[in-house]
Amino acid sequence: QAHNFVAFLRKVVDYLKERLRSSTKVEQTDNATFVRALLQKMQLPEPKSLRFAAQRLKSLLHTLEVVDVDTYAPASLVADFCALVSTYTQGFSIIIEPFDERLPNVPDPILHLACLDASLAIKPVFDHFQSVVITSGTLSPIDLYPKLLNFVPVTKTFEMSLSRECICPMIVTRGSDQMPLNANFQNRSDRSIIHNYGRLIVELSSVVPD
């Protein structure tokens, strides 16, 4: 029932507040230990309730026909945290920072759920797509990455002719719509930048010979 689920989320929030208030130095805890302590505090026999917290909140908001779901973003964040921390017993750690290093005398606790296993983060990509192209300027040695990401690579080497000027280095600062192109981490999810990079590749492919 709705009121039981709301009370459940409130208990989770109270426990998180308690952990944040009691920390005086940086703490790192594995998921299994954190979940056991949370279950003991909430008197739950198994983590099943935590695992389905995000789905239950989504169903509740849908049933209540809530339109402005952004208002409940903090509750969604807590529910998503419950689902993740109870689903993965390995590969994640809980890190609690009680203050900012720049202001050590000002309490400003932050709780991080850190993924320490890159294969867990990329697994949904491998599951969803039949072929995945991984590119980077630091993929050497290549043997290391299949072990880290848990996949079997298919590699192919192409010979490059140096008898002619086959390389034309360019710096592209704007897309075809004159929007600035910036691939730093903060802008990687910007739809306009992704669209412009895609169009740039298509336009170059149409004029660059094989």
PDB file of all heavy atoms in Angstrom, residues 143-160:
ATOM      1  N   ASP A 143      45.045  -5.746 -25.094  1.00  0.00           N
ATOM      2  CA  ASP A 143      44.714  -6.946 -24.324  1.00  0.00           C
ATOM      3  C   ASP A 143      44.156  -6.624 -22.944  1.00  0.00           C
ATOM      4  O   ASP A 143      43.453  -7.445 -22.343  1.00  0.00           O
ATOM      5  CB  ASP A 143      45.959  -7.830 -24.161  1.00  0.00           C
ATOM      6  CG  ASP A 143      46.448  -8.374 -25.490  1.00  0.00           C
ATOM      7  OD1 ASP A 143      45.640  -8.395 -26.433  1.00  0.00           O
ATOM      8  OD2 ASP A 143      47.625  -8.761 -25.578  1.00  0.00           O
ATOM      9  N   LEU A 144      44.438  -5.445 -22.436  1.00  0.00           N
ATOM     10  CA  LEU A 144      43.987  -5.084 -21.095  1.00  0.00           C
ATOM     11  C   LEU A 144      42.482  -4.840 -21.046  1.00  0.00           C
ATOM     12  O   LEU A 144      41.803  -5.237 -20.095  1.00  0.00           O
ATOM     13  CB  LEU A 144      44.741  -3.842 -20.614  1.00  0.00           C
ATOM     14  CG  LEU A 144      44.277  -3.210 -19.297  1.00  0.00           C
ATOM     15  CD1 LEU A 144      44.532  -4.175 -18.144  1.00  0.00           C
ATOM     16  CD2 LEU A 144      44.997  -1.886 -19.055  1.00  0.00           C
ATOM     17  N   TYR A 145      41.924  -4.217 -22.069  1.00  0.00           N
ATOM     18  CA  TYR A 145      40.535  -3.772 -22.026  1.00  0.00           C
ATOM     19  C   TYR A 145      39.511  -4.909 -22.088  1.00  0.00           C
ATOM     20  O   TYR A 145      38.482  -4.844 -21.403  1.00  0.00           O
ATOM     21  CB  TYR A 145      40.289  -2.731 -23.129  1.00  0.00           C
ATOM     22  CG  TYR A 145      41.014  -1.442 -22.832  1.00  0.00           C
ATOM     23  CD1 TYR A 145      42.308  -1.239 -23.284  1.00  0.00           C
ATOM     24  CD2 TYR A 145      40.428  -0.458 -22.056  1.00  0.00           C
ATOM     25  CE1 TYR A 145      42.990  -0.066 -22.982  1.00  0.00           C
ATOM     26  CE2 TYR A 145      41.094   0.712 -21.755  1.00  0.00           C
ATOM     27  CZ  TYR A 145      42.381   0.901 -22.218  1.00  0.00           C
ATOM     28  OH  TYR A 145      43.059   2.055 -21.911  1.00  0.00           O
ATOM     29  N   PRO A 146      39.746  -5.959 -22.887  1.00  0.00           N
ATOM     30  CA  PRO A 146      38.800  -7.089 -22.817  1.00  0.00           C
ATOM     31  C   PRO A 146      38.716  -7.704 -21.427  1.00  0.00           C
ATOM     32  O   PRO A 146      37.643  -8.170 -21.020  1.00  0.00           O
ATOM     33  CB  PRO A 146      39.374  -8.083 -23.834  1.00  0.00           C
ATOM     34  CG  PRO A 146      40.129  -7.238 -24.796  1.00  0.00           C
ATOM     35  CD  PRO A 146      40.712  -6.124 -23.986  1.00  0.00           C
ATOM     36  N   LYS A 147      39.815  -7.710 -20.698  1.00  0.00           N
ATOM     37  CA  LYS A 147      39.790  -8.252 -19.336  1.00  0.00           C
ATOM     38  C   LYS A 147      39.008  -7.327 -18.402  1.00  0.00           C
ATOM     39  O   LYS A 147      38.245  -7.790 -17.547  1.00  0.00           O
ATOM     40  CB  LYS A 147      41.214  -8.434 -18.823  1.00  0.00           C
ATOM     41  CG  LYS A 147      42.029  -9.454 -19.610  1.00  0.00           C
ATOM     42  CD  LYS A 147      43.456  -9.528 -19.097  1.00  0.00           C
ATOM     43  CE  LYS A 147      44.288 -10.512 -19.923  1.00  0.00           C
ATOM     44  NZ  LYS A 147      45.701 -10.553 -19.470  1.00  0.00           N
ATOM     45  N   LEU A 148      39.195  -6.029 -18.556  1.00  0.00           N
ATOM     46  CA  LEU A 148      38.494  -5.075 -17.694  1.00  0.00           C
ATOM     47  C   LEU A 148      36.998  -5.032 -17.993  1.00  0.00           C
ATOM     48  O   LEU A 148      36.177  -4.918 -17.079  1.00  0.00           O
ATOM     49  CB  LEU A 148      39.093  -3.674 -17.868  1.00  0.00           C
ATOM     50  CG  LEU A 148      40.512  -3.444 -17.354  1.00  0.00           C
ATOM     51  CD1 LEU A 148      40.976  -2.034 -17.704  1.00  0.00           C
ATOM     52  CD2 LEU A 148      40.596  -3.667 -15.849  1.00  0.00           C
ATOM     53  N   LEU A 149      36.646  -5.093 -19.278  1.00  0.00           N
ATOM     54  CA  LEU A 149      35.256  -4.924 -19.685  1.00  0.00           C
ATOM     55  C   LEU A 149      34.536  -6.251 -19.941  1.00  0.00           C
ATOM     56  O   LEU A 149      33.342  -6.251 -20.242  1.00  0.00           O
ATOM     57  CB  LEU A 149      35.186  -4.055 -20.948  1.00  0.00           C
ATOM     58  CG  LEU A 149      35.820  -2.664 -20.827  1.00  0.00           C
ATOM     59  CD1 LEU A 149      35.713  -1.916 -22.146  1.00  0.00           C
ATOM     60  CD2 LEU A 149      35.170  -1.866 -19.708  1.00  0.00           C
ATOM     61  N   ASN A 150      35.266  -7.358 -19.849  1.00  0.00           N
ATOM     62  CA  ASN A 150      34.677  -8.692 -19.973  1.00  0.00           C
ATOM     63  C   ASN A 150      33.985  -8.893 -21.331  1.00  0.00           C
ATOM     64  O   ASN A 150      32.782  -9.144 -21.421  1.00  0.00           O
ATOM     65  CB  ASN A 150      33.681  -8.941 -18.839  1.00  0.00           C
ATOM     66  CG  ASN A 150      33.265 -10.405 -18.748  1.00  0.00           C
ATOM     67  OD1 ASN A 150      34.005 -11.284 -19.162  1.00  0.00           O
ATOM     68  ND2 ASN A 150      32.083 -10.656 -18.207  1.00  0.00           N
ATOM     69  N   PHE A 151      34.766  -8.778 -22.415  1.00  0.00           N
ATOM     70  CA  PHE A 151      34.230  -9.028 -23.746  1.00  0.00           C
ATOM     71  C   PHE A 151      35.325  -9.620 -24.622  1.00  0.00           C
ATOM     72  O   PHE A 151      36.509  -9.571 -24.285  1.00  0.00           O
ATOM     73  CB  PHE A 151      33.681  -7.741 -24.376  1.00  0.00           C
ATOM     74  CG  PHE A 151      34.744  -6.777 -24.843  1.00  0.00           C
ATOM     75  CD1 PHE A 151      35.088  -6.703 -26.187  1.00  0.00           C
ATOM     76  CD2 PHE A 151      35.395  -5.949 -23.943  1.00  0.00           C
ATOM     77  CE1 PHE A 151      36.058  -5.818 -26.624  1.00  0.00           C
ATOM     78  CE2 PHE A 151      36.369  -5.061 -24.376  1.00  0.00           C
ATOM     79  CZ  PHE A 151      36.695  -4.998 -25.719  1.00  0.00           C
ATOM     80  N   VAL A 152      34.909 -10.199 -25.734  1.00  0.00           N
ATOM     81  CA  VAL A 152      35.841 -10.802 -26.690  1.00  0.00           C
ATOM     82  C   VAL A 152      35.969  -9.853 -27.879  1.00  0.00           C
ATOM     83  O   VAL A 152      34.989  -9.661 -28.630  1.00  0.00           O
ATOM     84  CB  VAL A 152      35.347 -12.182 -27.162  1.00  0.00           C
ATOM     85  CG1 VAL A 152      36.325 -12.765 -28.171  1.00  0.00           C
ATOM     86  CG2 VAL A 152      35.165 -13.118 -25.968  1.00  0.00           C
ATOM     87  N   PRO A 153      37.113  -9.238 -28.083  1.00  0.00           N
ATOM     88  CA  PRO A 153      37.242  -8.240 -29.146  1.00  0.00           C
ATOM     89  C   PRO A 153      37.489  -8.865 -30.512  1.00  0.00           C
ATOM     90  O   PRO A 153      37.995  -9.984 -30.630  1.00  0.00           O
ATOM     91  CB  PRO A 153      38.470  -7.438 -28.698  1.00  0.00           C
ATOM     92  CG  PRO A 153      39.312  -8.439 -27.984  1.00  0.00           C
ATOM     93  CD  PRO A 153      38.346  -9.384 -27.303  1.00  0.00           C
ATOM     94  N   VAL A 154      37.100  -8.152 -31.541  1.00  0.00           N
ATOM     95  CA  VAL A 154      37.445  -8.486 -32.920  1.00  0.00           C
ATOM     96  C   VAL A 154      38.258  -7.317 -33.456  1.00  0.00           C
ATOM     97  O   VAL A 154      37.742  -6.206 -33.598  1.00  0.00           O
ATOM     98  CB  VAL A 154      36.186  -8.710 -33.783  1.00  0.00           C
ATOM     99  CG1 VAL A 154      36.580  -8.971 -35.237  1.00  0.00           C
ATOM    100  CG2 VAL A 154      35.361  -9.859 -33.237  1.00  0.00           C
ATOM    101  N   THR A 155      39.531  -7.555 -33.732  1.00  0.00           N
ATOM    102  CA  THR A 155      40.422  -6.472 -34.157  1.00  0.00           C
ATOM    103  C   THR A 155      40.865  -6.685 -35.593  1.00  0.00           C
ATOM    104  O   THR A 155      40.970  -7.825 -36.071  1.00  0.00           O
ATOM    105  CB  THR A 155      41.660  -6.394 -33.258  1.00  0.00           C
ATOM    106  OG1 THR A 155      42.362  -7.652 -33.313  1.00  0.00           O
ATOM    107  CG2 THR A 155      41.262  -6.110 -31.814  1.00  0.00           C
ATOM    108  N   LYS A 156      41.103  -5.616 -36.289  1.00  0.00           N
ATOM    109  CA  LYS A 156      41.582  -5.670 -37.666  1.00  0.00           C
ATOM    110  C   LYS A 156      42.535  -4.509 -37.885  1.00  0.00           C
ATOM    111  O   LYS A 156      42.261  -3.388 -37.470  1.00  0.00           O
ATOM    112  CB  LYS A 156      40.410  -5.604 -38.644  1.00  0.00           C
ATOM    113  CG  LYS A 156      40.806  -5.852 -40.092  1.00  0.00           C
ATOM    114  CD  LYS A 156      39.591  -5.963 -40.979  1.00  0.00           C
ATOM    115  CE  LYS A 156      39.974  -6.233 -42.420  1.00  0.00           C
ATOM    116  NZ  LYS A 156      40.707  -7.504 -42.587  1.00  0.00           N
ATOM    117  N   THR A 157      43.642  -4.802 -38.530  1.00  0.00           N
ATOM    118  CA  THR A 157      44.660  -3.795 -38.795  1.00  0.00           C
ATOM    119  C   THR A 157      44.666  -3.451 -40.280  1.00  0.00           C
ATOM    120  O   THR A 157      44.640  -4.343 -41.135  1.00  0.00           O
ATOM    121  CB  THR A 157      46.057  -4.309 -38.390  1.00  0.00           C
ATOM    122  OG1 THR A 157      46.030  -4.674 -37.011  1.00  0.00           O
ATOM    123  CG2 THR A 157      47.104  -3.227 -38.596  1.00  0.00           C
ATOM    124  N   PHE A 158      44.680  -2.177 -40.580  1.00  0.00           N
ATOM    125  CA  PHE A 158      44.712  -1.714 -41.962  1.00  0.00           C
ATOM    126  C   PHE A 158      46.064  -1.058 -42.233  1.00  0.00           C
ATOM    127  O   PHE A 158      46.553  -0.254 -41.428  1.00  0.00           O
ATOM    128  CB  PHE A 158      43.587  -0.697 -42.232  1.00  0.00           C
ATOM    129  CG  PHE A 158      42.216  -1.269 -42.055  1.00  0.00           C
ATOM    130  CD1 PHE A 158      41.554  -1.152 -40.845  1.00  0.00           C
ATOM    131  CD2 PHE A 158      41.583  -1.924 -43.097  1.00  0.00           C
ATOM    132  CE1 PHE A 158      40.283  -1.677 -40.673  1.00  0.00           C
ATOM    133  CE2 PHE A 158      40.318  -2.451 -42.940  1.00  0.00           C
ATOM    134  CZ  PHE A 158      39.668  -2.331 -41.734  1.00  0.00           C
ATOM    135  N   GLU A 159      46.654  -1.435 -43.373  1.00  0.00           N
ATOM    136  CA  GLU A 159      47.913  -0.810 -43.758  1.00  0.00           C
ATOM    137  C   GLU A 159      47.652   0.602 -44.267  1.00  0.00           C
ATOM    138  O   GLU A 159      46.655   0.870 -44.923  1.00  0.00           O
ATOM    139  CB  GLU A 159      48.605  -1.637 -44.842  1.00  0.00           C
ATOM    140  CG  GLU A 159      49.043  -3.018 -44.371  1.00  0.00           C
ATOM    141  CD  GLU A 159      49.797  -3.768 -45.445  1.00  0.00           C
ATOM    142  OE1 GLU A 159      49.973  -3.202 -46.541  1.00  0.00           O
ATOM    143  OE2 GLU A 159      50.209  -4.914 -45.186  1.00  0.00           O
ATOM    144  N   MET A 160      48.574   1.489 -43.972  1.00  0.00           N
ATOM    145  CA  MET A 160      48.425   2.879 -44.379  1.00  0.00           C
ATOM    146  C   MET A 160      49.556   3.255 -45.319  1.00  0.00           C
ATOM    147  O   MET A 160      50.736   2.992 -45.030  1.00  0.00           O
ATOM    148  CB  MET A 160      48.445   3.809 -43.154  1.00  0.00           C
ATOM    149  CG  MET A 160      48.166   5.259 -43.505  1.00  0.00           C
ATOM    150  SD  MET A 160      48.061   6.304 -42.039  1.00  0.00           S
ATOM    151  CE  MET A 160      49.740   6.204 -41.430  1.00  0.00           C
TER     152      MET A 160
END
